[in-house]
Amino acid sequence: MIHKKENVTDLPLVLDEKDMGILKLLQVDAKMTIRNIASQLNLTTTPVYERIRKMEQAGVIKQYAAIVDPQKIDKGLTVLCYISLKEHSKKCGAKFIREIVAFTEVTECLNISGEFDFLIKVQVKDMNAYREFYVNKLGEVDNLSHTQSIFVISVIKATHQMVY
Amino acid sequence: MIHKKENVTDLPLVLDEKDMGILKLLQVDAKMTIRNIASQLNLTTTPVYERIRKMEQAGVIKQYAAIVDPQKIDKGLTVLCYISLKEHSKKCGAKFIREIVAFTEVTECLNISGEFDFLIKVQVKDMNAYREFYVNKLGEVDNLSHTQSIFVISVIKATHQMVY
DNA sequence: CCTGAAACTTAAATCCG
DNA sequence: CGGATTTAAGTTTCAGG
């Protein structure tokens, strides 16, 4: 996690080509050194250093993270679960969100358009683990109207890369 | 990206509590030093260093990445797009996948159970950009039967954290 | 806003017990 | 695996254009 200075501005930082070049590289390899980045962008370390610092403080770079392979840590099953609520009041929605977000199995929760209210992505070991989650965790959440589970047969692509 | 040694084994590495502890920390902050990790886990640098190296080579840690905030780089709109194919032969499926994966707007592509064949996640600036993608890119892909777009109203949770 | 070099700081990697 | 050492490296700063 980025440790911002006290006076975080989060001002709408305008990014130019050089910033994008830096992001492009750091997105793929966060451990790339400033020197290396500088040489690839035909710059020196100073501007690269300062641009990275700015992007960290502006929240453009949210985090430096190790990406773990789910398959290798017994979390090889991904399930998408659609959820509709009974009550849509602000209060009830907030309560639902608080409960859902707390589940470590839920790696994603999206408020969506269409027939359902939410889509959550659940990451578990296998079908047994999903049943366990579905019955004992999701099943204990208030205010659920109906749900639908979609199973992921295979992950074709999954990236956080957004700068090209 | 992790630079593995030549003889990559990718053997089913058995992870113990200490490995999980390391992953847990690196998932949140890839820049955490080995010393820091060691002290938090009541270990010395040697075992931590070696465990990390093993997990990198085994592919448990796939990558160290800077996580960028989509909102801050003009990619604030997320759309889920369901896709059904006409032809489901291996050859046609592979062609579809090749084309879809090449689109930089597609940050995720899942082969799913249920009514549709695939779910792709599209990350763009705004609705105009999505229309542009939908018409000129997705629309040019062969073998599509029908599609359905679901718009993400808000992202409640989005994490790659899987070790707790 | 950049260059270039220098100074500083810190971590990675090794070795022996 | 602990502990310390060594070596190497990256980060950060500064003057100057």
Side-chain angles (χ1 to χ4, degrees):
Chain A
M1 210 68 69
I2 313 296
H3 301 293
K4 305 179 187 175
K5 299 282 162 62
E6 285 94 54
N7 45 351
V8 179
T9 50
D10 267 271
L11 283 173
L13 186 59
V14 179
L15 304 174
D16 62 15
E17 288 306 312
K18 289 167 186 168
D19 293 312
M20 296 302 250
I22 293 169
L23 286 181
K24 190 173 152 179
L25 293 170
L26 287 179
Q27 257 186 167
V28 175
D29 181 8
K31 288 224 188 307
M32 186 170 289
T33 65
I34 294 177
R35 280 185 186 167
N36 192 341
I37 295 169
S39 83
Q40 294 203 42
L41 301 180
N42 284 104
L43 285 170
T44 51
T45 57
T46 314
V48 173
Y49 171 71
E50 276 164 0
R51 281 162 184 273
I52 291 175
R53 203 179 50 78
K54 264 185 195 149
M55 291 193 286
E56 287 174 354
Q57 289 187 4
V60 175
I61 298 175
K62 287 195 294 187
Q63 194 187 178
Y64 296 102
I67 309 298
V68 175
D69 186 342
Q71 306 273 359
K72 307 262 170 113
I73 56 162
D74 265 350
K75 257 90 172 75
L77 178 64
T78 306
V79 187
L80 305 174
C81 183
Y82 295 87
I83 300 172
S84 277
L85 302 187
K86 287 181 201 155
E87 282 274 355
H88 289 77
S89 68
K90 190 169 180 179
K91 192 181 165 189
C92 293
K95 183 164 181 292
F96 166 80
I97 287 174
R98 250 182 288 118
E99 295 184 83
I100 285 292
V101 162
F103 296 139
T104 58
E105 292 91 345
V106 175
T107 57
E108 210 170 321
C109 177
L110 306 175
N111 184 10
I112 57 175
S113 68
E115 184 187 350
F116 289 92
D117 296 316
F118 295 93
L119 169 59
I120 64 174
K121 185 190 279 179
V122 183
Q123 203 77 245
V124 286
K125 181 182 179 187
D126 52 26
M127 203 53 95
N128 273 328
Y130 184 66
R131 186 178 37 74
E132 169 74 17
F133 167 82
Y134 189 81
V135 173
N136 294 326
K137 294 196 172 177
L138 196 57
E140 291 298 316
V141 173
D142 284 344
N143 193 24
L144 297 192
S145 167
H146 54 292
T147 66
Q148 185 181 336
S149 299
I150 302 269
F151 296 92
V152 174
I153 298 167
S154 73
V155 178
I156 312 293
K157 179 179 184 176
T159 181
H160 46 266
Q161 199 160 350
M162 257 164 316
V163 184
Y164 285 90
Chain B
M1 211 67 69
I2 313 296
H3 301 293
K4 305 179 188 175
K5 299 282 161 62
E6 284 94 55
N7 44 352
V8 179
T9 49
D10 266 273
L11 284 172
L13 186 59
V14 179
L15 304 174
D16 62 15
E17 288 305 312
K18 289 168 186 169
D19 293 313
M20 296 302 249
I22 293 170
L23 286 180
K24 190 172 152 182
L25 293 170
L26 287 179
Q27 258 187 166
V28 174
D29 180 9
K31 288 224 188 307
M32 187 169 288
T33 64
I34 293 179
R35 280 184 188 174
N36 191 341
I37 294 169
S39 83
Q40 293 202 43
L41 300 180
N42 286 104
L43 285 171
T44 52
T45 57
T46 314
V48 173
Y49 172 72
E50 278 165 358
R51 282 161 183 272
I52 291 175
R53 202 179 50 78
K54 264 186 194 148
M55 291 193 285
E56 288 173 354
Q57 290 187 2
V60 175
I61 298 175
K62 286 195 293 187
Q63 193 188 179
Y64 296 102
I67 308 298
V68 175
D69 186 343
Q71 307 273 1
K72 307 262 169 116
I73 56 162
D74 267 349
K75 258 85 172 76
L77 178 63
T78 306
V79 187
L80 305 174
C81 183
Y82 295 87
I83 301 172
S84 278
L85 302 187
K86 286 183 201 154
E87 282 274 354
H88 289 79
S89 69
K90 190 169 181 179
K91 192 180 166 189
C92 293
K95 184 164 180 291
F96 166 79
I97 286 174
R98 251 182 287 116
E99 295 184 82
I100 284 291
V101 162
F103 296 138
T104 58
E105 293 91 344
V106 175
T107 58
E108 210 170 323
C109 177
L110 306 175
N111 183 11
I112 56 176
S113 70
E115 184 187 351
F116 290 92
D117 296 316
F118 294 93
L119 169 59
I120 64 174
K121 185 190 278 178
V122 183
Q123 204 76 246
V124 285
K125 180 182 179 187
D126 52 25
M127 204 52 95
N128 273 328
Y130 184 66
R131 187 179 37 74
E132 169 72 18
F133 168 82
Y134 189 81
V135 174
N136 295 326
K137 294 197 172 176
L138 196 58
E140 291 298 317
V141 173
D142 283 344
N143 193 25
L144 297 192
S145 167
H146 54 292
T147 68
Q148 184 181 337
S149 299
I150 302 269
F151 296 92
V152 173
I153 298 168
S154 73
V155 178
I156 312 294
K157 179 178 183 176
T159 182
H160 47 265
Q161 199 160 350
M162 257 165 315
V163 184
Y164 286 90

